[in-house]
Amino acid sequence: MDSKVFNLKTKLEVYKAMSGGANFADCPVRDVIQGINGKWSSLLVMALAEKPYRFGALRRLVPDISQRMLTQTLQELQRDGYVHREVFPTKPPSVEYSLTDLGRSMFVPLYQLVQWAELNHDAVREARAAFDASSQA
Amino acid sequence: MDSKVFNLKTKLEVYKAMSGGANFADCPVRDVIQGINGKWSSLLVMALAEKPYRFGALRRLVPDISQRMLTQTLQELQRDGYVHREVFPTKPPSVEYSLTDLGRSMFVPLYQLVQWAELNHDAVREARAAFDASSQA
DNA sequence: CAGGATCCCTCTAGATACTG
DNA sequence: CAGTATCTAGAGGGATCCTG
């Protein structure tokens, strides 16, 4: 491993940025991370990074999300400014979701993480298997 | 926003990588992401990226985590191969937690995301305020 | 010191049914 | 079509007590 990456900042500063220094629970960084941390949030952002989707299309794209969670997660993403919601006055009405500039900006580091996961999921699976094997002994 | 970043791959491929194609729920990428997704996981990885810590030191570093959640999250991180747990046979025993190579590797993209959050939390806060203001009208 | 075990509660998330 | 409303199971998470 290259260790230069850890010197981008003093490492304690890195942690303090995330812990919020004095007021931990109110740390803005943790606050923002939490918004992306949901079970479906990052998945929907990845989907919308491709192109705008309508509600029903998103449902079909993510078959194992419940309609409730889809609505809720999209609202949270919209509230945090990642997703734009546009209603078209058709009959019956159609609603299109798309990433905002902020959402596209957030997608960049998120995509890095997903790429990492794609490259390293074998290592993680092996680690789990090894851990489970040795812990039952 | 620079849109070149979205052409690293076909964007549908990006989503498919995360959705797992046919078998969505078993997608390895989603599986790995879930492991980092916990409320405390990323925070502890950030802390351990600075230097190894002992159990009690981590508790003091993250005052608002319960001892139960600290134990549990560290175990998960150890199981996934991000964290190494070393017991020193002192009296009373001391246990040191440190990042593995895999953990340090994962820290790289994670840190990118934290940096993004640090730079953009104002925009997120403003988006929330605007959303809340217009939704109560 | 570093946890394991237990109890309890909240809040999430899923299923189902209904509406503009 | 795109949601809201309601109910409920289960995970997340806190407090307390106990142990090697």
Side-chain angles (χ1 to χ4, degrees), chain B residues 98-131:
Chain B
S98 57
L99 286 192
T100 62
D101 284 348
L102 189 66
R104 278 188 288 274
S105 160
M106 193 271 279
F107 170 77
V108 178
L110 177 64
Y111 179 63
Q112 296 300 115
L113 198 60
V114 169
Q115 268 195 320
W116 185 91
E118 203 175 350
L119 285 169
N120 294 92
H121 62 78
D122 281 338
V124 174
R125 282 189 186 278
E126 285 170 23
R128 282 184 192 162
F131 181 89

Side-chain angles (χ1 to χ4, degrees), chain B residues 29-131:
Chain B
V29 176
R30 274 166 76 169
D31 188 33
V32 171
I33 295 288
Q34 283 300 103
I36 320 167
N37 239 317
K39 182 174 180 182
W40 304 107
S41 311
S42 54
L43 184 58
L44 290 178
V45 169
M46 297 296 296
L48 292 175
E50 184 208 339
K51 66 172 187 181
Y53 277 104
R54 288 175 50 189
F55 189 87
L58 278 174
R59 267 192 95 168
R60 287 186 294 275
L61 200 61
V62 190
D64 57 343
I65 193 175
S66 68
Q67 168 251 38
R68 186 188 195 282
M69 280 303 105
L70 181 55
T71 301
Q72 187 173 306
T73 307
L74 284 172
Q75 279 175 354
E76 290 167 7
L77 291 174
Q78 188 194 355
R79 189 173 108 95
D80 283 8
Y82 302 129
V83 162
H84 174 68
R85 178 179 185 272
E86 184 146 19
V87 183
F88 294 99
T90 55
K91 283 202 292 193
S94 64
V95 180
E96 188 179 85
Y97 293 91
S98 57
L99 286 192
T100 62
D101 284 348
L102 189 66
R104 278 188 288 274
S105 160
M106 193 271 279
F107 170 77
V108 178
L110 177 64
Y111 179 63
Q112 296 300 115
L113 198 60
V114 169
Q115 268 195 320
W116 185 91
E118 203 175 350
L119 285 169
N120 294 92
H121 62 78
D122 281 338
V124 174
R125 282 189 186 278
E126 285 170 23
R128 282 184 192 162
F131 181 89

Side-chain angles (χ1 to χ4, degrees), chain A residues 30-69:
Chain A
R30 275 166 75 169
D31 188 33
V32 171
I33 295 289
Q34 282 301 104
I36 318 168
N37 239 317
K39 183 174 180 182
W40 304 106
S41 311
S42 54
L43 184 58
L44 291 178
V45 169
M46 298 295 295
L48 292 174
E50 183 207 337
K51 66 171 187 182
Y53 277 104
R54 288 177 48 190
F55 189 88
L58 278 173
R59 268 193 95 168
R60 287 186 294 275
L61 200 60
V62 189
D64 57 342
I65 193 175
S66 69
Q67 164 254 41
R68 185 194 198 281
M69 281 301 104

Side-chain angles (χ1 to χ4, degrees), chain A residues 17-32, chain B residues 64 121 125:
Chain A
M18 195 159 177
S19 65
N23 36 347
F24 288 83
D26 297 344
C27 169
V29 175
R30 275 166 75 169
D31 188 33
V32 171
Chain B
D64 57 343
H121 62 78
R125 282 189 186 278

